[in-house]
Amino acid sequence: MTVAAHPLVVRARELADGLLAPAAERVDQEGVPASHIEAIRRSGLLGVSAPVAHGGSAAPAAVVRETAEILAGACCSTWFVQTQHHTPVLTLAKTALPVRDRLLGPLARGELLSGVAYAHLRSYPRVPVRVRREADGRRFSGTVPWYTGWGLNDVMLLAGVTEDDEALFAFVEAREQPGLRPSEPMRLAALTASRTVSLELDGLWVPEEAVALLMPHADWVASDHPKTLNANPAVFGITRAALTLVEEEYAGVLRARLDEVRRHAYALADHPVPQERAEERLAVRAEAFTLMRTATEAAVVTGGGRTMLLTHRAQRLAREALFLLVQGQTSTSRAAHLRHLAQGPR
Ligand SMILES: Cc1cc2nc3c(=O)[nH]c(=O)nc-3n(C[C@H](O)[C@H](O)[C@H](O)COP(=O)(O)OP(=O)(O)OC[C@H]3O[C@@H](n4cnc5c(N)ncnc54)[C@H](O)[C@@H]3O)c2cc1C
């Protein structure tokens, strides 16, 4: 079966064309509606990477990437809310801890939607969230700087660092409760619609059976690092969407470059050793960003002054592109991206 014919790709395309793209400028201003999340839940896309035995599709990486491109290109805010779900699913699929039996099925089938609160682990040795062991459970304290999907998702995979320098991940209900207080939803240059808040944790107690992952922080960094080296499919999704707004005479050339960079990025993503060719991966990631900025700029230039209206697609894509530049950034990818920019246009 070709990637384009995979049932989840077909469903993502139907959702994108029939629901997400037509509403995207309104959603950008008003927020991702619960009805969009409901449609995503019903589509089966929340189980794209989940084991078949638990109701998921365990789809090939190429299908996962294609569905991400399609959703991100149609409505980046909706894509971003639902993309958080896939890390919790993969974490549960890999664990033998009791929480797997409770949550993997409901998450794989889309009965529950999960967010994540773990990017702050990357700012180590700064530790924004600490975890203390207690009888029968753990207590979280500190500040989660970014949490997307507040009010839309049911549970969150929350991470902190223990007294023994371990990374600990546990599932928590995504609602205000003793020890967990959200900020007001943030007003952002892009993706305000994603209902992103910060979370104050003031001794939030979590039972031991909610723990999904516990490993030395250094080992977690080693497993996380390769994931931040590759180009994000959402970048190609935004690029593709922007090029539909550009006159074909110019879009054709840029589309050919997109095909080339995308092929290279995905060949690297499929390379069996994710730690290898780090420099090349980072260079291609930066190249993909450059192409995305070129495409969104071309869309703005094509449309002229009208593109400054908040109802215009080009400005929305340009702002969403800005967001993708920093999403998931680490000190390594930050340095590589800046090096690429300092080299100037080629
Ligand atoms: C709208 C939005 C929504 C988000 N939603 C979520 C979410 O739901 N869940 C979640 O877990 N995360 C979320 N994030 C976090 C996102 O993934 C992080 O923004 C991203 O990882 C970059 O982190 P940072 O720049 O905020 O963190 P920082 O800790 O400021 O920095 C990130 C990295 O860059 C390095 N760095 C920063 N400044 C310097 C410097 N001057 N010199 C050298 N190195 C430096 C740090 O060491 C670190 O590795 C969200 C972010 C945004 C903007």
Side-chain angles (χ1 to χ4, degrees):
M1 191 195 303
T2 62
V3 169
H6 190 284
L8 285 180
V9 173
V10 172
R11 240 167 281 158
R13 176 67 62 209
E14 285 166 1
L15 260 183
D17 295 344
L19 181 70
L20 304 184
E25 282 69 49
R26 184 171 51 75
V27 165
D28 175 57
Q29 293 302 308
E30 296 176 6
V32 174
S35 53
H36 272 29
I37 299 301
E38 195 45 45
I40 296 276
R41 282 180 198 271
R42 282 198 308 267
S43 69
L45 287 162
L46 294 178
V48 63
S49 302
V52 174
H54 287 82
S57 294
V63 168
V64 176
R65 292 191 294 248
E66 183 69 12
T67 56
E69 279 192 31
I70 292 169
L71 297 182
C75 177
C76 194
S77 291
T78 303
W79 162 76
F80 192 55
V81 170
Q82 68 77 48
T83 200
Q84 313 298 330
H85 184 85
H86 303 298
T87 299
V89 166
L90 292 172
T91 305
L92 286 169
K94 280 189 226 143
T95 189
L97 291 168
V99 70
R100 174 190 167 103
D101 288 343
R102 180 163 62 89
L103 288 179
L104 183 52
L107 260 62
R109 296 188 293 271
E111 292 155 17
L112 292 176
L113 177 68
S114 183
V116 294
Y118 77 89
H120 48 273
L121 289 185
R122 295 183 181 136
S123 44
Y124 193 85
R126 246 183 342 106
V127 180
V129 177
R130 293 192 180 274
V131 194
R132 228 173 42 238
R133 182 189 278 280
E134 288 205 349
D136 301 335
R138 310 277 174 156
R139 228 173 252 288
F140 285 78
S141 298
T143 304
V144 172
W146 305 99
Y147 178 75
T148 290
W150 184 257
L152 291 170
N153 41 40
D154 307 289
V155 292
M156 75 174 82
L157 184 58
L158 169 66
V161 177
T162 69
E163 307 93 320
D164 302 322
D165 270 344
E166 297 155 310
L168 185 144
F169 287 66
F171 280 93
V172 175
E173 275 190 51
R175 59 172 174 80
E176 189 158 357
Q177 52 186 295
L180 191 165
R181 194 160 38 85
S183 70
E184 286 299 305
M186 293 184 209
R187 290 187 47 73
L188 302 162
L191 277 89
T192 295
S194 67
R195 303 208 205 168
T196 297
V197 296
S198 63
L199 301 172
E200 281 308 318
L201 305 173
D202 182 14
L204 173 72
W205 186 79
V206 176
E208 196 62 32
E209 54 273 20
V211 173
L213 181 72
L214 178 62
M215 59 163 68
H217 185 273
D219 292 356
W220 181 81
V221 170
S223 67
D224 176 62
H225 184 66
K227 296 178 196 152
T228 61
L229 302 174
N230 292 319
N232 182 345
V235 169
F236 299 123
I238 294 283
T239 307
R240 274 212 266 189
L243 291 180
T244 63
L245 305 178
V246 178
E247 280 156 41
E248 195 45 41
E249 182 186 355
Y250 310 106
V253 182
L254 292 171
R255 209 170 284 119
R257 262 173 61 198
L258 168 63
D259 290 345
E260 204 181 303
V261 176
R262 187 173 173 270
R263 236 192 329 270
H264 191 173
Y266 289 170
L268 287 169
D270 287 335
H271 186 277
V273 188
Q275 293 82 358
E276 279 182 11
R277 299 166 74 172
E279 283 306 312
E280 187 181 348
R281 289 172 195 271
L282 287 165
V284 174
R285 180 179 181 274
E287 188 63 37
F289 282 147
T290 301
L291 191 54
M292 173 178 65
R293 286 190 300 113
T294 303
T296 53
E297 186 175 329
V300 168
V301 172
T302 302
R306 279 169 308 150
T307 65
M308 292 300 106
L309 295 170
L310 288 174
T311 49
H312 202 286
R313 181 145 302 182
Q315 57 79 34
R316 174 179 59 79
L317 292 168
R319 288 185 291 106
E320 290 169 348
L322 205 57
F323 160 73
L324 289 177
L325 298 179
V326 292
Q327 193 243 330
Q329 178 174 270
T330 64
S331 46
T332 305
S333 65
R334 177 179 175 278
H337 193 175
L338 289 172
R339 267 198 312 277
H340 180 84
L341 292 175
Q343 280 166 8
R346 284 182 289 157

